[in-house]
Structures are given as C-alpha cells and as structure tokens.
C-alpha cells in the first residue's frame, strides 16, 4: 500500500519524514543549487561531517580566494578549518532560515561537527561546541557531538546552556537510551536555570547501513543458508527498535513534565542511509524507515534515487517492532554478539571521522602553502 502522492519525495514528506541532505559545499551554495533542492526535492535540513568538508575542499575552487587571504595573514591550519567550515554552515543556515521560521525551529537545520579528535574529551568538546555556536551565530545550527561515553556528559552540558545538538554516531540501543537520558537531563538543568527550553532542539543520529555492513560480514563468515538469509536486515531492525525506545520515552512521566514546560522531543534521525551493498535496493534505508516524526538524512545519490523510484510503505508501528526484535534474535542465535558489533562500529566511526578531519587539515595545509606562495609571488 502506497501513500497517494504523485512524487515519491512528496509522499515521504506527507508521511511525516523530514528530508535532510547529507552534503554541503560552496558549489552547492553557489548559484541557487541549495534553494533548488529545497524547492524541487523537499530538502528541509543539512548534515555535514569531516568527510564531506574534505571532499568539498578537494573539488571546489570556490575556496581558493579565502585560502589565499588566510595564508597571507599567517592563519593556522586549525583556525583555517574553523573559518571555512563555520562560513559554509552559516551561509547554509541563512538559506534555510525561512524553513526554520516556518516550522517553528523543527526543520531548516544545519549540523556542524565538533572536531572528532575531541570525542573522548568532554571538557574540550563542550568548549568547542560553545565556540562553534558563537561563530556561526545562527539559531538553526545544530552542533554535532558523538555519542561516546565521554560525549554524553558534554551533550547534557551544552543542552543545559541552550545549545541545540545533533547527537551523532549512535549504533546501539543501549547507547541510545543513554543519549535520551543525556538530553532530558540537559533540558531539566536548562529549565532549572530558567532557559527557554522550547528554543532547544535536538536530533539523535542513529546509523543504519554500517550496521548491515558489519553484521553481513559476520554472516558471510558463518556461511550457512540460515546466515545468508539473515543478511541485509539488521540495520533497519536496529533502527526500528530505536524508534520503539523513542516512543516509550515520550510516554514517560519524565518527558510529560518536560513537555509541559515547553520542551521539544529529540527526533530520531536515520543516518548512513546510502546503500553500501550494491545487491540491495538503493532506497531500502529510506522506505524501510518512513516513520512519522523522524528525519532521514540522505547523500545526494540516495536522494535522487528515491526521487526517481522510491516507495513509501504504510508502516504500522505496532506491527514493526516485534519482527525487528526477531531479526536481532536470529542474529544472536547465529552466534553474533550485537554489543561487540556496535562497540566496534562506534570505535571505527570516531576513527574514520578523525581520519577525515586529518585529511581535511592536510588538504588545507597544502592549499595554504600554495596560497602563501601565490601571495608572495604577487607582491614581487
């Protein structure tokens, strides 16, 4: 059964899913391309990460003038990265500001990540989150903080100060419960300190395709027919069970007290929704998670694939949680340790983003060197 809308993205929006784009660059910001995605593709938010910025700098010549200027003033690599990323995110925030205003702050959001190298340093994460919030200076920013054990305290602290947060790199259901608790604790502190909690927003980014990639590799190693039949099911099942936890949290007395004070729910956000296995349907992580009140942040290729041939099944929440639990139960019976997989994915996620951050810094270092040489040459 499909929702009765002509365009797949219209149908997805009509079912209550916010479409965010997992990409940002000056090429995208130039010439109205982002505005076109808002108008033609229903995009109402943007997420970024170090990999996205590294790729943008390697491809885009629009960064060259700023890099030359920063090189000429002797700006450090770290400060250059900070300037470039906050400038891009500020510009995107301004493009999406009408959406932010129209949706009372729910959408029109742009995410910018704290340096991944700080993922296990709560105090440094808090300090950088404050710096990013102040530097961008737009109310529709979401500061991205990884959901590491050390990150949880930082999430609570910055929420308590009125900073809106995108909690990223969530893989396990247990950690997701911790994330919800961190958000609620931050809101309670904010309310006690007389902040306007209605102005504080958050999403919890639950990663999907990486779970399948990790578990599928183990299923391939097992190699039985039963194991092969279980492939490609864990990512969506894990995310659906995360939504069940979200729904339960909204029914709790603790949340009802916060809601009465004006607090906004922390929406589940489905991240890592580009299909990594070419044997799987390229829109499976969008269709399979078309759940009202959630966000799906898609790479450009996934967005275009869904626009072309995506479908929106009429999911009945009470009917998807049980089968999702059965999927994880089957994986456990096959001898795969769910906790071991999600712990490894978190470690790898932090390492990958840190490596991308280093790559970004390396690209900036090289371009600063070229910019300085060009500046000196022009002064002769």
């Amino acid at each position: 059964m499909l929702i009765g809308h002509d365009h797949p993205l219209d149908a997805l929006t009509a079912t209550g899913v916010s479409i965010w784009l997992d990409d940002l660059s000056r090429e995208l910001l130039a010439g109205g391309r982002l505005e076109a995605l808002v108008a033609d593709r229903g995009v109402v938010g943007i997420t970024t990460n170090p990999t996205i910025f590294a790729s943008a700098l390697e491809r885009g010549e629009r960064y060259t003038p700023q890099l030359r200027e920063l090189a000429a003033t002797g700006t450090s690599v770290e400060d250059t990265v900070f300037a470039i990323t906050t400038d891009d995110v500020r510009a995107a925030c301004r493009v999406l500001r009408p959406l932010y205003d129209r949706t009372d702050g729910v959408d029109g959001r742009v995410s910018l990540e704290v340096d991944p190298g700080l993922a296990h340093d709560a105090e440094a994460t808090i300090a950088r989150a404050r710096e990013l919030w102040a530097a961008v200076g737009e109310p529709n920013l979401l500061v991205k903080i990884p959901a590491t054990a050390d990150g949880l305290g930082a999430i609570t602290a910055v929420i308590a100060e009125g900073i809106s947060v995108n909690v990223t790199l969530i893989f396990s259901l247990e950690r997701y419960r911790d994330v919800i608790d961190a958000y609620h604790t931050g809101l309670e502190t904010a309310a006690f300190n007389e902040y306007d909690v209605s102005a504080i927003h958050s999403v919890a980014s639950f990663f999907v395709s990486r779970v399948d990639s990790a578990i599928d590799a183990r299923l391939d190693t097992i190699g039985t027919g039963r194991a092969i039949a279980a492939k490609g099911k864990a990512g969506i099942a894990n995310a659906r069970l995360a939504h069940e936890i979200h729904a339960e949290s909204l029914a709790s007395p603790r949340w009802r007290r916060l809601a009465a004070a004006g607090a906004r729910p922390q929406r589940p956000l489905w991240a890592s929704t580009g299909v990594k296995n070419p044997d799987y349907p390229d829109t499976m992580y969008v269709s399979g998670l078309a759940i009202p009140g959630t966000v799906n942040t898609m790479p450009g290729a996934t967005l275009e694939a869904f626009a072309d041939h995506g479908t929106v099944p009429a999911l009945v929440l009470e009917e998807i949680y049980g089968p999702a639990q059965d999927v994880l139960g089957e994986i456990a019976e096959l001898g795969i340790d769910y906790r071991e997989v999600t712990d490894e994915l978190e470690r790898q996620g932090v390492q990958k983003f840190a490596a991308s951050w280093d790559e970004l810094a390396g690209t900036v270092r090289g371009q600063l060197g070229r910019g300085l040489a060009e500046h000196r040459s022009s002064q002769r």
Side-chain angles (χ1 to χ4, degrees), residues 145-157 159 165 167-188 202-206 241-242 245-246 248-249 254 266 338-339 342-343 346:
I145 299 177
T148 59
D150 296 301
L152 295 170
I155 291 160
T156 293
I159 288 290
V165 175
V167 183
T168 189
L169 287 177
I170 307 172
F171 296 97
S172 78
L173 300 174
E174 180 180 1
R175 181 54 55 82
Y176 180 44
R177 290 188 179 93
D178 294 338
V179 167
I180 293 172
D181 178 69
Y183 178 56
H184 290 180
T185 302
L187 288 173
E188 288 161 350
S202 183
V203 293
S205 294
F206 211 86
L241 291 174
I245 292 169
H246 166 71
E248 289 171 351
S249 76
R254 184 183 190 187
Q266 181 187 57
Y338 169 84
R339 177 66 179 270
T342 55
D343 284 353
E346 181 183 295

Side-chain angles (χ1 to χ4, degrees), residues 15-341:
T15 207
V17 175
S18 290
I19 300 168
W20 290 10
L21 178 69
D22 194 29
D23 194 16
L24 182 62
S25 68
R26 291 195 183 167
E27 300 300 318
L28 182 65
L29 289 164
R33 289 180 57 198
L34 178 55
E35 289 91 339
L37 287 171
V38 171
D40 301 336
R41 291 291 184 258
V43 169
V44 294
I46 291 175
T47 51
T48 68
N49 60 50
T51 303
I52 285 170
F53 282 120
S55 177
L57 257 78
E58 288 174 356
R59 296 193 318 262
E61 295 182 358
R62 295 182 185 275
Y63 295 95
T64 302
Q66 184 179 16
L67 285 163
R68 287 176 178 166
E69 180 181 338
L70 292 169
T73 58
T75 306
S76 69
V77 170
E78 181 180 353
D79 288 345
T80 298
V81 170
F82 187 90
I84 288 170
T85 56
T86 54
D87 283 356
D88 280 8
V89 167
R90 186 184 309 107
C93 282
R94 290 172 179 172
V95 171
L96 298 186
R97 181 61 186 266
L99 288 166
Y100 168 86
D101 292 336
R102 190 161 66 243
T103 61
D104 194 23
V106 173
D107 285 312
R109 293 282 177 173
V110 185
S111 296
L112 176 59
E113 187 152 2
V114 168
D115 310 15
L118 306 179
H120 300 294
D121 186 335
E123 290 306 315
T125 294
I126 293 166
R128 184 47 60 94
R130 291 169 179 154
E131 291 170 358
L132 293 173
W133 187 255
V136 173
E138 298 292 337
N140 47 334
L141 173 68
L142 291 174
V143 177
K144 289 180 77 173
I145 299 177
T148 59
D150 296 301
L152 295 170
I155 291 160
T156 293
V158 299
I159 288 290
E161 295 181 12
I163 296 173
S164 294
V165 175
N166 176 342
V167 183
T168 189
L169 287 177
I170 307 172
F171 296 97
S172 78
L173 300 174
E174 180 180 1
R175 181 54 55 82
Y176 180 44
R177 290 188 179 93
D178 294 338
V179 167
I180 293 172
D181 178 69
Y183 178 56
H184 290 180
T185 302
L187 288 173
E188 288 161 350
T189 305
F192 179 81
N193 291 329
E194 299 185 346
Y195 279 91
D196 176 8
V197 293
S198 70
I200 303 171
H201 288 253
S202 183
V203 293
S205 294
F206 211 86
F207 281 52
V208 186
S209 67
R210 293 190 194 184
V211 173
D212 272 337
S213 295
I215 289 181
D216 283 1
R218 290 162 171 77
L219 292 170
D220 280 332
T221 298
I222 296 169
T224 63
R226 182 181 175 187
I228 300 304
K231 289 178 62 178
K233 298 177 181 178
I236 288 175
N238 198 40
R240 287 177 173 180
L241 291 174
H243 187 271
E244 183 179 29
I245 292 169
H246 166 71
E248 289 171 351
S249 76
L250 296 186
S252 70
R254 184 183 190 187
W255 175 252
R256 286 199 293 269
R257 288 192 295 271
L258 284 166
R264 308 299 187 98
Q266 181 187 57
R267 289 187 295 170
L269 179 150
W270 313 127
S272 184
T273 55
V275 173
K276 293 178 171 56
N277 187 332
D279 295 334
Y280 296 157
D282 55 3
T283 60
M284 64 183 280
Y285 298 122
V286 183
S287 294
L289 294 170
I291 300 173
T294 65
V295 179
N296 197 304
T297 186
M298 310 177 208
T302 302
L303 178 69
E304 292 306 316
F306 198 87
D308 180 67
H309 53 267
T311 58
V312 182
L315 300 176
V316 179
L317 296 181
E318 294 76 11
E319 296 177 2
I320 65 174
Y321 300 145
Q325 189 62 63
D326 291 342
V327 168
L328 295 194
E330 173 73 353
I331 288 166
E333 288 183 13
L334 286 163
I336 295 173
D337 187 326
Y338 169 84
R339 177 66 179 270
E340 177 187 306
V341 170

